[in-house]
Amino acid sequence: MSVLLSLKGLTLYYRTRRGVVKAVDGVSFDLKEGSCLSLVGESGCGKSSMAYAIMRLLPRNTHTYCGELIFDGKNLMDLTENDLRRDFWLKKMAMVFQGAMNSLNPVLNIGEQLAEPFTIHLGLDKLEALKRAAELLELVRLPNSLLDKYPHELSGGMKQRVVIATALSLRPKFLILDEPTSALDVITQANIINLLKRLQEELNLTYIFITHDLGLSSELSDYIAVMYAGKVVELGDIVSILTAPKHPYTQKLLAATPKLLEDAKLEFIPGSPPDLAYPPPGCRFHPRCPYVMDVCKVREPEPVKVSSEHYVSCLLWERV
Amino acid sequence: MGDFVSSAPVGLKSVAYEVSHSKSGLAGIIILASILLISMVAVFSPENIIEKWNDPQAWLDKPRLAAPEWVTIFTGQNSLKTVIIKQEDFRKDVQKVAGLNTTKIELRARITYNYDTIPTEVNLNLEIISETRSLLTVRWVRPDGSSVLLLREAVEAGQKSVFTYRDRTVFENVQAYLQKLAAPSTLSVGEVLFSSEDSLLKGTAKLLKSSDVKPSRPYELVVEGVSESKFFDVNAQLNLLGSVYGLCGTDNMRRDIFVGIVWGAPIALAFGLVAALVVTLVQAVFGAISGFYGSRVDEIIQRVTDIYLVLPFLSLLITIQFIYKTTIWTLLIAVIALSLFGGVTKSVRSMALQIREEPYIEAAKSYGASRPRILFLYILPRLLPYTFANITVSVPAYVFLEASLSILGLGDPALPTWGKIISEAFSGGAAYYGYWWWILIPSIFIVLVSTAFALLWYSLDKVLNPRLREE
Ligand SMILES: Nc1ncnc2c1ncn2[C@@H]1O[C@H](COP(=O)(O)OP(=O)(O)OP(=O)(O)O)[C@@H](O)[C@H]1O
Ligand SMILES: [Mg+2]
């Protein structure tokens, strides 16, 4: 399988009143076509920012945006926003934003909403666009009767499906899903995950699936990337990560995941994630790491290959 | 302010439904609909009232400064409303005097007069068709049979209006009549015409009604013309004008104020609505652009708005009107031009700043929606409720503005507007002499329009402002 997306030192800093927030700080990895990568990590560690950085959908207060971002053989960094709008967004890559509840225009009904991409990109007339909108509803298994409903008349799960449908309107092959199932009940979550699985098979999609639920990510993913304070600290195939996590943070994260039918006491990670405006020097996890060494406080770890598809950024493993 | 940014759908249909189902909204709609209906009469009327309004000759058959007819309900008097005896209602007698080649025409009008007041004016319009001068005699016959000679003179052919109360010849003839009766000569023409001879002798004019004689008999006006012309014809129209007229009374130029109200309605509505609509929408669009685009554009729009906000709006408008004496529509353009930026720009900008950060805007961007598309399809619709509420509050303000300028004498020079009627009432001394209807009726209509929009706004506010929603 060929590589669809390749990041090298992708960086996104925000300008804020408190200083420069290093939300994504030199992230590198490759993503194979047709696979699914889960991006996990605590809240505020920069997962959504990473999604924006990959999409090149930058907020107004972007301070630094650099690195190499090769998608489908093209370096997106070299393109203008117009190129992206014309040839990439929705056509090749799309994103489902965090909080689908708010991703729908409250003043458009579902039909008009789903018709938008066809009107914007294909210049279809209203009737034709609505016909395509109806097909989209079918794709995500929603009844046609929703076409003239407004977003506030839909349940959370329905809205999420509509948002996914919109993202798939022009059949991109790459989809970033930013916490598509948080704020949904478990049954609905399972339904959405099943839908995503089916769509991946039908449309041969490549996913980046952002979540903070490791259990959920194992349902869908081939790979897991663990983010901490703007950096990917461990990346590997799902089996290695879930069965043999190498980074102390990943280990703690797994231990903090509730498991059914197991009476084990949940662990938590002492301390709190660092302020991304002023991250600690050296390894960013060192203030909370149980295995911290002196060197951790001054040297930043580099990714180390522990098996064929498993990398970890930790000085413990660099020494071995 | 932020409360107006509702996330519920702002379908106009649902808003209209809720407004029309609230009491105040319904009241506002009913008032507005009535005024609109009145406007329709004016807009679709084939008559050229505008020209007529400014032509003093066109109103001669109306009484001057008459109160509305319905005041008789309160005074309890059977006051004379206008009585017009038209040409075809005169009885015409044509006699050829054999051999002498003369024609004698007698016109006779009968007026059953049972009102409690004497007419304020008795006017006779004559049309004489003749080759030569003709001898004209006009006599007034009371129900009791006594008669007064009003006119006997040789007249040229053509139109002749006799305002009997003000006509010099009539006055002299009446004086001669009083002398013959040996009655005091201080009585006015009107009193002489409508009193019995007995009361004239006593020096007290007592109105003689048709029903005072048994059996009841009318007053009669007899016009007699004699001419030697080969063709000869006399036509007459008699107007008895009272002290009350129509629904709204008349002004000092005998103009029916009701006509002014009806023709002023579409002007007031059009001026208020167009000004409010255009000003609010333009300001809202600038505000949305300012908030959404941000940076340089925002800076420029905000500074221009600051300048507009400190412009002395009314003074500038008065200066413009004073120098150019423009029509109301030019005035409207001036008003709009002076309000392209303003308070709405500021408040809409702050709302747009809030809305542009919402995830669905970001999502639209990722769908490839262009900035103008996002502005017009994603941001502006959210601002519509606020914009509509603002339009409804500002309509009365603009109706008042037009009226104020008119009262200052700076309104449209030709059109009958409500403000102009009030302005003329002031210069006509209506407040001093107590011609209350002249001031009160147009004022009531201005207040009515304001009230209607205020009621609408009140109910709109309740619908659109979530905090006021009574669940
Ligand atoms: N537009 C922005 N301007 C400034 N700081 C931002 C901006 N967006 C995010 N941040 C900051 O960047 C950091 C990373 O935010 P991000 O939203 O990427 O986290 P996340 O991992 O997606 O969190 P969550 O799981 O809660 O969604 C946070 O500290 C956040 O406060
Ligand atoms: Mg996030």
Side-chain angles (χ1 to χ4, degrees):
Chain A
M1 270 190 290
S2 61
V3 171
L4 180 68
L5 177 73
S6 167
L7 315 181
K8 275 199 189 69
L10 188 65
T11 301
L12 175 60
Y13 294 169
Y14 301 124
R15 199 180 326 107
T16 69
R17 212 167 299 151
R18 285 183 305 120
V20 176
V21 172
K22 303 184 173 91
V24 180
D25 202 2
V27 171
S28 311
F29 63 78
D30 292 341
L31 185 60
K32 284 185 196 147
E33 194 157 357
S35 65
C36 173
L37 170 81
S38 274
L39 202 55
V40 300
E42 279 170 287
S43 181
C45 68
K47 303 184 295 293
S48 297
S49 302
M50 177 104 113
Y52 296 138
I54 294 172
M55 289 291 290
R56 252 198 81 176
L57 267 173
L58 305 178
R60 277 165 214 272
N61 60 339
T62 301
H63 176 271
T64 310
Y65 177 61
C66 60
E68 206 171 84
L69 174 59
I70 295 176
F71 176 81
D72 208 14
K74 283 208 186 57
N75 193 347
L76 296 191
M77 291 288 183
D78 298 339
L79 301 176
T80 66
E81 196 176 310
N82 264 338
D83 293 334
L84 286 165
R85 183 176 296 142
R86 205 180 54 238
D87 300 327
F88 283 84
W89 291 340
L90 274 201
K91 289 189 177 162
K92 291 194 172 151
M93 58 201 305
M95 175 165 174
V96 170
F97 288 84
Q98 188 167 6
M101 318 298 145
N102 306 319
S103 297
L104 296 173
N105 187 342
V107 296
L108 294 185
N109 67 32
I110 302 304
E112 293 167 328
Q113 199 106 55
L114 288 172
E116 275 287 279
F118 302 115
T119 324
I120 297 169
H121 289 283
L122 308 183
L124 296 187
D125 61 39
K126 206 174 166 189
L127 216 70
E128 195 64 24
L130 271 179
K131 219 159 81 195
R132 302 287 290 269
E135 289 169 19
L136 279 182
L137 278 184
E138 214 168 292
L139 182 72
V140 294
R141 302 282 149 89
L142 282 175
N144 259 345
S145 56
L146 291 190
L147 280 176
D148 47 13
K149 293 255 188 328
Y150 283 89
H152 75 280
E153 296 171 284
L154 269 58
S155 71
M158 284 171 164
K159 277 192 230 178
Q160 189 64 67
R161 280 169 193 253
V162 170
V163 173
I164 292 171
T166 317
L168 292 176
S169 55
L170 300 181
R171 300 294 143 86
K173 49 184 168 185
F174 174 61
L175 193 58
I176 301 180
L177 300 143
D178 194 352
E179 306 201 19
T181 58
S182 37
L184 296 179
D185 64 87
V186 275
I187 307 280
T188 318
Q189 266 186 9
N191 280 333
I192 296 281
I193 295 292
N194 285 337
L195 173 74
L196 289 173
K197 264 189 200 163
R198 186 174 58 76
L199 288 172
Q200 187 179 27
E201 277 164 29
E202 273 178 31
L203 307 175
N204 189 27
L205 292 167
T206 309
Y207 286 147
I208 287 187
F209 182 79
I210 298 175
T211 178
H212 43 232
D213 186 339
L214 270 169
L216 210 61
S217 69
S218 62
E219 287 285 320
L220 201 62
S221 322
D222 308 306
Y223 303 97
I224 291 181
V226 181
M227 258 191 110
Y228 184 79
K231 288 184 177 287
V232 170
V233 292
E234 185 165 9
L235 185 143
D237 63 278
I238 183 146
V239 181
S240 326
I241 297 280
L242 291 184
T243 57
K246 296 289 186 279
H247 199 283
Y249 177 64
T250 315
Q251 293 165 359
K252 290 278 176 191
L253 208 59
L254 276 171
T257 308
K259 291 177 195 70
L260 281 179
L261 306 175
E262 240 174 76
D263 214 8
K265 201 161 154 260
L266 274 188
E267 276 188 50
F268 68 100
I269 310 174
S272 54
D275 180 357
L276 289 185
Y278 302 100
C283 171
R284 291 186 180 178
F285 188 58
H286 82 253
R288 301 167 80 186
C289 183
Y291 314 112
V292 61
M293 305 170 294
D294 283 342
V295 64
C296 298
K297 296 175 186 166
V298 287
R299 225 184 83 200
E300 272 197 52
E302 294 293 322
V304 178
K305 190 168 183 167
V306 284
S307 64
S308 67
E309 289 188 312
H310 192 168
Y311 299 83
V312 63
S313 303
C314 180
L315 293 173
L316 283 173
W317 295 93
E318 240 171 82
R319 283 197 320 171
V320 170
Chain B
M1 192 168 60
D3 296 331
F4 280 107
V5 185
S6 66
S7 47
V10 285
L12 284 181
K13 240 187 278 168
S14 65
V15 171
Y17 177 87
E18 294 217 30
V19 168
S20 60
H21 281 71
S22 75
K23 273 194 205 114
S24 60
L26 197 62
I29 288 173
I30 289 174
I31 298 176
L32 259 190
S34 329
I35 295 176
L36 223 66
L37 212 70
I38 295 177
S39 308
M40 288 299 121
V41 173
V43 170
F44 292 111
S45 156
E47 261 187 287
N48 186 354
I49 289 291
I50 311 294
E51 207 167 274
K52 191 181 169 195
W53 185 256
N54 296 303
D55 175 15
Q57 298 301 315
W59 302 91
L60 288 179
D61 56 347
K62 306 266 187 289
R64 218 175 141 255
L65 293 168
E69 276 176 13
W70 42 262
V71 295
T72 54
I73 298 170
F74 304 107
T75 59
Q77 268 190 332
N78 183 15
S79 300
L80 169 67
K81 294 157 191 155
T82 306
V83 171
I84 292 179
I85 314 284
K86 292 206 216 83
Q87 172 178 326
E88 54 269 28
D89 297 333
F90 276 82
R91 223 179 59 205
K92 198 179 224 172
D93 246 358
V94 185
Q95 274 181 326
K96 292 257 188 222
V97 182
L100 267 176
N101 201 13
T102 36
T103 317
K104 185 176 150 197
I105 295 179
E106 190 194 76
L107 294 171
R108 204 174 264 269
R110 313 172 116 237
I111 309 125
T112 304
Y113 202 90
N114 283 321
Y115 303 100
D116 292 334
T117 55
I118 65 168
T120 52
E121 282 176 58
V122 176
N123 300 333
L124 182 65
N125 296 321
L126 291 164
E127 183 192 29
I128 301 145
I129 302 165
S130 165
E131 279 178 317
T132 59
R133 283 158 72 93
S134 46
L135 182 68
L136 194 73
T137 313
V138 180
R139 265 182 314 124
W140 180 253
V141 183
R142 304 195 185 90
D144 60 6
S146 59
S147 76
V148 185
L149 178 76
L150 297 181
L151 270 185
R152 169 168 291 150
E153 58 183 5
V155 293
E156 301 284 348
Q159 304 276 346
K160 182 175 171 66
S161 288
V162 185
F163 296 91
T164 55
Y165 286 15
R166 281 181 284 146
D167 194 279
R168 179 128 204 106
T169 326
V170 171
F171 180 73
E172 279 162 8
N173 286 333
V174 166
Q175 288 294 317
Y177 164 80
L178 287 174
Q179 233 161 34
K180 219 166 74 192
L181 259 186
S185 59
T186 48
L187 297 160
S188 73
V189 174
E191 286 168 329
V192 172
L193 295 188
F194 286 90
S195 309
S196 62
E197 290 192 337
D198 294 347
S199 68
L200 288 179
L201 275 174
K202 281 184 220 136
T204 57
K206 187 175 166 294
L207 176 66
L208 180 70
K209 295 187 186 178
S210 293
S211 55
D212 288 345
V213 293
K214 300 284 175 245
S216 164
R217 286 192 47 195
Y219 279 88
E220 280 188 316
L221 179 89
V222 186
V223 179
E224 214 177 71
V226 180
S227 171
E228 295 189 343
S229 163
K230 265 200 247 81
F231 52 90
F232 177 51
D233 198 10
V234 179
N235 288 315
Q237 176 176 332
L238 179 66
N239 300 337
L240 301 186
L241 307 180
S243 54
V244 292
Y245 181 84
L247 265 177
C248 304
T250 60
D251 67 6
N252 61 352
M253 286 172 75
R254 300 162 183 275
R255 296 185 293 205
D256 186 352
I257 291 172
F258 181 70
V259 170
I261 296 290
V262 170
W263 262 260
I267 299 169
L269 278 188
F271 187 86
L273 270 176
V274 171
L277 207 77
V278 174
V279 166
T280 308
L281 284 183
V282 167
Q283 290 196 1
V285 169
F286 276 127
I289 290 175
S290 180
F292 174 56
Y293 280 84
S295 66
R296 197 78 135 292
V297 178
D298 184 31
E299 191 63 26
I300 292 170
I301 291 180
Q302 287 314 305
R303 292 300 78 79
V304 173
T305 307
D306 290 340
I307 294 171
Y308 263 79
L309 282 175
V310 297
L311 280 186
F313 176 73
L314 201 59
S315 323
L316 277 177
L317 216 53
I318 289 173
T319 313
I320 291 173
Q321 275 306 86
F322 188 73
I323 297 173
Y324 297 106
K325 288 258 179 295
T326 61
T327 67
I328 194 169
W329 309 121
T330 324
L331 175 69
L332 180 62
I333 292 172
V335 166
I336 291 170
L338 286 175
S339 329
L340 291 176
F341 301 85
V344 177
T345 319
K346 291 263 174 199
S347 40
V348 162
R349 169 183 179 264
S350 69
M351 290 179 217
L353 281 178
Q354 187 186 331
I355 295 173
R356 79 167 187 194
E357 299 304 334
E358 287 184 30
Y360 80 95
I361 301 290
E362 181 114 66
K365 232 187 325 180
S366 83
Y367 301 158
S370 63
R371 292 234 234 171
R373 190 178 186 89
I374 292 180
L375 183 65
F376 284 102
L377 207 62
Y378 290 72
I379 293 187
L380 275 177
R382 293 282 304 280
L383 299 166
L384 274 190
Y386 169 77
T387 314
F388 270 94
N390 202 286
I391 289 170
T392 35
V393 269
S394 48
V395 171
Y398 287 111
V399 173
F400 269 124
L401 177 70
E402 191 277 322
S404 331
L405 286 174
S406 289
I407 288 167
L408 293 174
L410 300 168
D412 189 285
L415 294 178
T417 68
W418 297 345
K420 209 162 137 225
I421 295 175
I422 299 176
S423 136
E424 284 163 350
F426 269 108
S427 50
Y432 181 73
Y433 293 110
Y435 309 136
W436 50 267
W437 60 91
W438 199 2
I439 302 176
L440 219 55
I441 290 174
S443 309
I444 285 173
F445 273 86
I446 290 174
V447 171
L448 220 55
V449 168
S450 311
T451 313
F453 279 100
L455 286 171
L456 269 186
W457 178 79
Y458 182 65
S459 62
L460 260 184
D461 194 28
K462 258 198 275 187
V463 174
L464 301 173
N465 193 340
R467 269 197 312 191
L468 296 178
R469 259 179 211 243
E470 28 199 329
E471 224 71 59

